[in-house]
Amino acid sequence: MFDTQILILTIAFILPQSTICVTDNCRYNENSPWMSETTWQNGTAKDEEMKYFTRSDSKSFITTNWGLKINDSDSLKAGERGPTLLEDLELREKITHFDHERIPERVVHARGSGAHGYFQSYGDWSNLTRAKFLSDPSIKTPVFVRFSTVAGPRGSSDTVRDVRGFATKFYTEEGNFDLVGNNIPIFFIQDAIKFPDLIHAVKAEPDRSFPSAASAHDTFYDFVSLSPETIHMVLWVLSDHGIPRSYRMMQGFGVHTFRFIAENNDWVFVKFHWKPKYGLGSLAWDEAQKISGKDPDFHRRDLWEAIENGDYPEWEFGVQIIKPNMEFKFDFDLLDPTKFIPEELVPVIPLGKMVLNRNPDNFFAETEQSVFHIGHVVPGIGFTNDPLLQGRLFSYLDTQINRHHSANFQNIPINRPVVPIHNNQRDGFMQTVVNKGRVAYYPNSLQDGSPRLTPPSHGGYKTYGEQTGGRAFRGKSPSFFNFYSQAQLFYNSLTQIEKQHLINALRFELGLVETMSIRTRMIYHFNYVDHDFASQIARIIDVPVPTAIYANLNNSSPAVSIEQYSRNTIRTRRVLIYIADGIEVSTLNIVVRILKSMGAYLIFVAPQQGRIRETNYIASQTFATTDSVLNDAILVAGGQSAIKYLLYDYPQYQSGQPIQFLREAYRHGKPIACIGEGIELLDRAGIIAGNGVYVLKKDGDAKTFAQDFAEALLRGRFWYRDVLDKI
């Protein structure tokens, strides 16, 4: 007689494999009693599959894991004050499960957050690749994306300076395709054999176990200073790209060079790109540090709230295409992962868009248990001889088995494809699929030769037949020894303030390196990038200014600059609005209406939470529960009595945060606007109008004022205040 739960679980795993549909165009199948037409129309194929493994405990009775209903929440004791009895299975089961609720965290990319969504192609790209999800613009392919920091542990802060992971799982009708990349188009090293050394160097030093989630220490720069291939990536990470404003406002890259292979076996090299709809944004370094204390979940919260509010993050997916005859036409090696192709040389062709529109139901079950593997590709996508890529193809499977203690991690719902799985792999720890039949091998005759091999004409994956060969060799190709040209190109591509941020970051990082010989070696490398750049750092960290030895060729690629990246919406930008009893509402109403219509998030802050007297405004925050660093701009409402309260009465017991918030917003380059009497707060803060600071006088036009403020929000930052520092 079957155990009921095992039967239900078996059905849950078998039915989706054999009957689930893989496109949003599929119609309700009346022969599938486990699916209603209403629920199907509300989500992708992956959403529907996930429902089989999702339970709600709402309006239910507590049971043990074996279905026994429980009528008491206390442990079983021998007498009212006696010892707890060993026979209390309910206690033992509950505590034992709790003791085993964690799995090993990822060695890298441990701190992350994820979301569900879909990808939709703009057209039929079968002239480039046989990948079906890129051939039909009517298909919405389900995706799950995990963003992450790299160096820190799972409990570290979101806003540390670091590379950000950008891993996308496409649940296609041909199987899963995992695009496992970063928010920076290159990487530190050229060969995977150096990856353990890189990570050991950047992690907390083993004799003291600090610093955590930080690169500003001796072991990291010791490794970097002895590995010049890393210099280019160090500049990217120490630039504003290393402290993004949000996951929604950063780019994604496949890092490596891949292949697109068409049906006729023609192929091209490709570089993968994600470009954010909401534009690029970054944090000020001082701001990032303070956010780590105020809200270490800043990026995680931002992604969650945007999706919950219906402001779905969106990226355009594109590729740079390099024909085979162009492989050796660049002044760098196409297979070198420490190099990128400037968009001015090879433009990015947009192929489709990705929208993230659903948060996970359970963070552990979905985000934490999700696994990605760079080797998970579909027909029409292939690899190259990039040595870092080749090493990654080995490493991912190994680490996933280590984390999940089993080779059956693919059966976890978030990892399962939405197509049938048929192979001869069996058993193992936590196998959840009941495989029927006598045969578990191929070829066979006892099962009519099934499961069978699939020819490429019917969707079987075919590896591109690249010509290979040569003597066994350890070392670098001579074309991989160009260490400084693109580091110089990157530096030249930054605006003046972005260069200053990079210099400040390196002064901070190297200033914390205790070993002077390491500092000196780093300045030696930077001198090959740009002499003035190296000199500005050297003077501050007590290293002799070097002699100029390498000319700056003045090559640049403006596309890498965050400041020069186009923005077209202020949607989801957070505006902190000062209100208090006695505010003047007529002008404020106009400004609020305009900003709301543009999609800005308006956060009202007052000395105390609740409704403001004689208005419809409700303060959701106080000056103790929010901060300037958690918002993108500040607007001060008018009204003499309200301003008097904020200036004179309120600070008696709150240390003058309204003034402090304004000063911090000014230092961090954020737009500031004041209505009427609100200018008194500006005066007290020592801030004058101009440079992104707007004042609406009593006879001013509220509509024009709001539009000017919105334009400032669109620009994002007025960074040059860092240099002028008028406060």
Side-chain angles (χ1 to χ4, degrees):
M1 185 172 181
F2 284 99
D3 181 286
T4 304
Q5 283 196 320
I6 293 177
L7 178 61
I8 292 172
L9 185 60
T10 303
I11 293 171
F13 274 105
I14 292 175
L15 278 178
Q17 293 185 4
S18 58
T19 58
I20 197 159
C21 195
V22 295
T23 77
D24 271 7
N25 295 335
C26 294
R27 295 299 179 196
Y28 166 63
N29 182 354
E30 61 183 9
N31 296 320
S32 302
W34 38 267
M35 183 189 298
S36 72
E37 186 169 12
T38 301
T39 57
W40 173 249
Q41 291 176 346
N42 287 339
T44 67
K46 188 60 184 178
D47 294 334
E48 297 304 320
E49 185 186 53
M50 291 294 289
K51 290 178 182 178
Y52 294 103
F53 310 101
T54 304
R55 75 182 185 196
S56 171
D57 293 324
S58 176
K59 299 180 180 179
S60 58
F61 296 101
I62 296 177
T63 71
T64 67
N65 282 329
W66 306 101
L68 177 68
K69 292 181 179 178
I70 298 172
N71 74 346
D72 198 302
S73 62
D74 295 315
S75 58
L76 183 65
K77 305 175 185 69
E80 291 183 359
R81 301 184 70 252
T84 300
L85 296 177
L86 187 62
E87 71 178 76
D88 189 349
L89 180 61
E90 296 169 18
L91 168 67
R92 289 163 58 199
E93 179 188 271
K94 186 174 182 180
I95 294 296
T96 300
H97 193 281
F98 177 78
D99 290 343
H100 294 267
E101 283 179 357
R102 294 296 177 265
I103 60 176
E105 69 174 36
R106 291 166 167 88
V107 176
V108 288
H109 297 276
R111 172 76 181 184
S113 195
H116 295 270
Y118 67 86
F119 171 82
Q120 189 167 19
S121 179
Y122 288 153
D124 180 0
W125 303 105
S126 56
N127 61 316
L128 295 174
T129 173
R130 64 169 65 101
K132 289 186 178 180
F133 79 98
L134 288 170
S135 67
D136 187 345
S138 68
I139 293 176
K140 290 183 177 179
T141 300
V143 299
F144 182 77
V145 178
R146 186 176 184 272
F147 304 102
S148 56
T149 55
V150 173
R154 189 160 54 195
S156 56
S157 168
D158 280 347
T159 59
V160 296
R161 187 185 292 281
D162 200 354
V163 190
R164 290 329 190 264
F166 194 129
T168 307
K169 187 181 295 294
F170 297 78
Y171 302 96
T172 85
E173 61 179 284
E174 298 178 289
N176 287 358
F177 166 44
D178 289 351
L179 180 50
V180 193
N182 290 329
N183 73 318
I184 291 173
I186 59 170
F187 200 62
F188 291 97
I189 52 176
Q190 297 169 326
D191 194 320
I193 200 169
K194 293 185 177 181
F195 189 74
D197 299 304
L198 168 68
I199 299 306
H200 289 168
V202 76
K203 287 281 191 178
E205 298 186 11
D207 61 340
R208 61 202 70 184
S209 195
F210 64 80
S212 179
S215 58
H217 57 106
D218 286 46
T219 59
F220 176 68
Y221 283 99
D222 186 33
F223 175 82
V224 165
S225 65
L226 297 172
S227 308
E229 68 199 65
T230 64
I231 298 301
H232 186 196
M233 182 68 168
V234 166
L235 298 192
W236 276 85
V237 178
L238 271 291
S239 76
D240 292 340
H241 289 273
I243 41 176
R245 160 62 179 82
S246 81
Y247 292 137
R248 302 178 294 110
M249 298 173 190
M250 68 183 195
Q251 293 167 296
F253 301 92
V255 178
H256 306 287
T257 301
F258 291 84
R259 277 189 174 91
F260 267 176
I261 308 164
E263 195 66 51
N264 62 3
N265 221 36
D266 286 347
W267 64 273
V268 292
F269 292 113
V270 291
K271 290 276 195 178
F272 295 126
H273 291 251
W274 293 110
K275 291 184 176 288
K277 172 185 175 181
Y278 287 103
L280 293 183
S282 64
L283 300 171
W285 176 230
D286 175 68
E287 184 181 24
Q289 291 174 301
K290 290 175 178 174
I291 292 173
S292 286
K294 296 284 185 177
D295 184 5
D297 306 306
F298 184 70
H299 286 158
R300 184 176 288 180
R301 190 187 311 278
D302 175 271
L303 178 67
W304 176 277
E305 290 180 348
I307 294 174
E308 290 296 297
N309 290 335
D311 291 312
Y312 301 138
E314 183 175 324
W315 287 263
E316 191 165 66
F317 178 62
V319 292
Q320 289 175 295
I321 296 173
I322 306 93
K323 294 182 179 180
N325 62 1
M326 293 294 293
E327 180 177 0
F328 301 105
K329 300 295 184 180
F330 303 101
D331 61 357
F332 56 90
D333 196 314
L334 197 61
L335 303 185
D336 182 350
T338 67
K339 307 296 189 295
F340 72 101
I341 306 175
E343 292 184 33
E344 292 78 7
L345 293 181
V346 180
V348 177
I349 298 174
L351 302 185
K353 69 175 182 178
M354 178 175 70
V355 179
L356 300 183
N357 58 9
R358 185 169 72 82
N359 283 312
D361 291 314
N362 182 279
F363 186 90
F364 175 82
E366 298 169 73
T367 305
E368 192 62 25
Q369 288 199 121
S370 62
V371 301
F372 297 85
H373 193 322
I374 198 169
H376 293 165
V377 293
V378 293
I381 299 176
F383 310 112
T384 63
N385 293 335
D386 174 343
L388 181 62
L389 168 61
Q390 293 291 317
R392 292 179 73 193
L393 289 170
F394 167 80
S395 178
Y396 281 69
L397 182 61
D398 196 40
T399 193
Q400 288 156 7
I401 292 173
N402 176 63
R403 290 188 68 234
H404 294 284
H405 301 295
S406 169
N408 290 311
F409 55 81
Q410 72 277 357
N411 289 332
I412 297 171
I414 191 64
N415 298 321
R416 291 169 55 85
V418 293
V419 294
I421 302 171
H422 300 295
N423 55 47
N424 296 310
Q425 298 170 22
R426 294 291 186 271
D427 307 335
F429 184 67
M430 294 302 292
Q431 175 61 271
T432 55
V433 176
V434 179
N435 290 288
K436 295 173 59 177
R438 183 179 181 183
V439 167
Y441 54 89
Y442 180 88
N444 67 74
S445 64
L446 297 179
Q447 198 167 267
D448 298 324
S450 63
R452 299 176 176 83
L453 299 177
T454 306
S457 59
H458 287 72
Y461 185 84
K462 181 181 179 182
T463 301
Y464 177 73
E466 182 179 13
Q467 184 71 36
T468 61
R471 293 182 179 179
F473 169 77
R474 282 192 185 273
K476 298 180 189 291
S477 164
S479 57
F480 276 44
F481 278 91
N482 179 358
F483 299 135
Y484 302 111
S485 65
Q486 283 212 337
Q488 184 183 94
L489 180 145
F490 174 75
Y491 179 72
N492 292 341
S493 303
L494 304 179
T495 63
Q496 199 59 44
I497 193 63
E498 287 175 318
K499 288 180 180 178
Q500 190 62 54
H501 288 169
L502 174 59
I503 290 167
N504 292 346
L506 283 162
R507 288 169 171 172
F508 168 81
E509 297 259 320
L510 295 178
L512 291 176
V513 171
E514 298 172 355
T515 308
M516 291 303 295
S517 61
I518 296 174
R519 296 189 189 187
T520 303
R521 288 199 300 266
M522 289 305 303
I523 295 302
Y524 168 84
H525 291 303
F526 293 149
N527 198 32
Y528 278 97
V529 176
D530 181 82
H531 175 66
D532 182 63
F533 168 60
S535 300
Q536 290 191 60
I537 301 167
R539 292 189 190 101
I540 300 300
I541 64 170
D542 194 27
V543 171
V545 174
T547 302
I549 56 175
Y550 190 73
N552 191 320
L553 303 178
N554 295 315
N555 294 326
S556 67
S557 173
V560 308
S561 166
I562 292 177
E563 280 295 284
Q564 299 179 75
Y565 192 90
S566 63
R567 304 171 180 88
N568 57 18
T569 180
I570 67 168
R571 196 163 198 85
T572 74
R573 294 285 181 171
R574 295 173 59 92
V575 181
L576 190 66
I577 302 179
Y578 288 12
I579 55 176
D581 289 343
I583 57 169
E584 193 280 309
V585 297
S586 60
T587 303
L588 181 62
N589 288 343
I590 297 172
V591 177
V592 164
R593 185 171 64 250
I594 292 173
L595 293 178
K596 269 189 175 181
S597 70
M598 294 181 175
Y601 289 178
L602 308 184
I603 297 90
F604 294 94
V605 59
Q608 59 236 8
Q609 292 173 325
R611 186 178 299 278
I612 301 302
R613 249 192 343 243
E614 299 179 1
T615 76
N616 292 322
Y617 288 106
I618 298 175
S620 61
Q621 302 288 335
T622 70
F623 290 95
T625 61
T626 188
D627 199 283
S628 166
V629 296
L630 303 178
N631 299 281
D632 297 299
I634 294 180
L635 171 66
V636 181
Q640 192 61 56
S641 58
I643 299 304
K644 178 179 178 295
Y645 186 40
L646 290 171
L647 272 175
Y648 301 108
D649 301 331
Y650 167 63
Q652 290 179 7
Y653 56 92
Q654 286 291 353
S655 305
Q657 288 105 321
I659 302 300
Q660 181 62 27
F661 283 15
L662 286 169
R663 287 175 174 165
E664 281 205 326
Y666 186 84
R667 280 198 300 272
H668 296 151
K670 297 179 180 179
I672 298 172
C674 292
I675 298 173
E677 295 84 356
I679 195 174
E680 294 185 39
L681 270 74
L682 284 189
D683 292 340
R684 181 62 63 87
I687 300 172
I688 61 173
N691 298 333
V693 179
Y694 302 88
V695 175
L696 178 64
K697 297 180 180 179
K698 288 189 176 181
D699 57 349
D701 182 359
K703 185 176 180 182
T704 301
F705 169 81
Q707 290 170 341
D708 289 343
F709 186 47
E711 282 293 319
L713 278 169
L714 188 62
R715 174 171 169 174
R717 300 279 187 165
F718 295 80
W719 288 118
Y720 45 80
R721 295 178 192 157
D722 288 349
V723 179
L724 297 176
D725 197 15
K726 294 183 177 180
I727 297 177

